[in-house]
Amino acid sequence: MKKSSSLLLTVIFLITISCSLNKGKFTITNDSDFDIDSLSIIPDSKKKLIALKKGDIVNHSILMDEVKSDGRYYLSFKKSGTNQIVSQGFGYYTNGYQIEDVINIRILNDTILINGKFNNSY
């Protein structure tokens, strides 16, 4: 009986931990003719910056555990070798949770394409 109780408590603990980490999930593709430096997506409690070379694809997640409201994301990056900063607002999150399962970001020379992906069909 004690073994069952311990297992149940462990499972509940693991579920609680996994549910308490609010993450935004992104796939970022650099289809431009330039390298990207210091890319960030806000809000991000980790405040992590990433770099992408031409043609790179990266899966990136942000930690949104400090966000308790609704809002939109902000993407910004520096074109490598220049002082040009590119920034764009996009999407929507609610109560610190991402609505989509993953957001695909494709960076081209003159535009940024953003497409949310939902795995659940309702």
Side-chain angles (χ1 to χ4, degrees):
M1 187 64 144
K2 287 185 179 185
K3 193 172 189 178
S4 299
S5 297
S6 296
L7 180 62
L8 180 61
L9 287 174
T10 302
V11 169
I12 291 171
F13 176 73
L14 291 174
I15 290 171
T16 303
I17 289 175
S18 67
C19 292
S20 67
L21 296 176
N22 302 348
K23 287 188 178 182
K25 297 177 183 173
F26 304 88
T27 298
I28 306 166
T29 305
N30 182 3
D31 279 339
S32 70
D33 291 335
F34 51 84
D35 293 338
I36 293 172
D37 188 28
S38 304
L39 184 140
S40 69
I41 299 174
I42 297 173
D44 184 5
S45 303
K46 296 184 298 185
K47 296 176 181 41
K48 182 178 178 186
L49 301 176
I50 60 174
L52 291 105
K53 300 234 181 257
K54 296 180 249 187
D56 278 357
I57 299 173
V58 66
N59 292 319
H60 179 65
S61 64
I62 62 172
L63 191 56
M64 299 173 58
D65 60 345
E66 295 175 3
V67 179
K68 304 296 181 207
S69 62
D70 296 357
R72 66 187 316 208
Y73 302 99
Y74 289 94
L75 168 80
S76 67
F77 62 87
K78 180 178 164 187
K79 288 185 177 182
S80 191
T82 71
N83 286 329
Q84 185 178 0
I85 303 286
V86 176
S87 62
Q88 178 174 325
F90 67 95
Y92 183 77
Y93 56 85
T94 182
N95 294 323
Y97 288 93
Q98 183 170 315
I99 298 168
E100 303 86 353
D101 293 301
V102 67
I103 298 175
N104 298 309
I105 301 171
R106 186 172 170 215
I107 301 171
L108 304 170
N109 287 335
D110 59 353
T111 193
I112 301 170
L113 302 176
I114 298 171
N115 181 19
K117 182 179 177 192
F118 298 89
N119 288 333
N120 296 329
S121 58
Y122 296 100

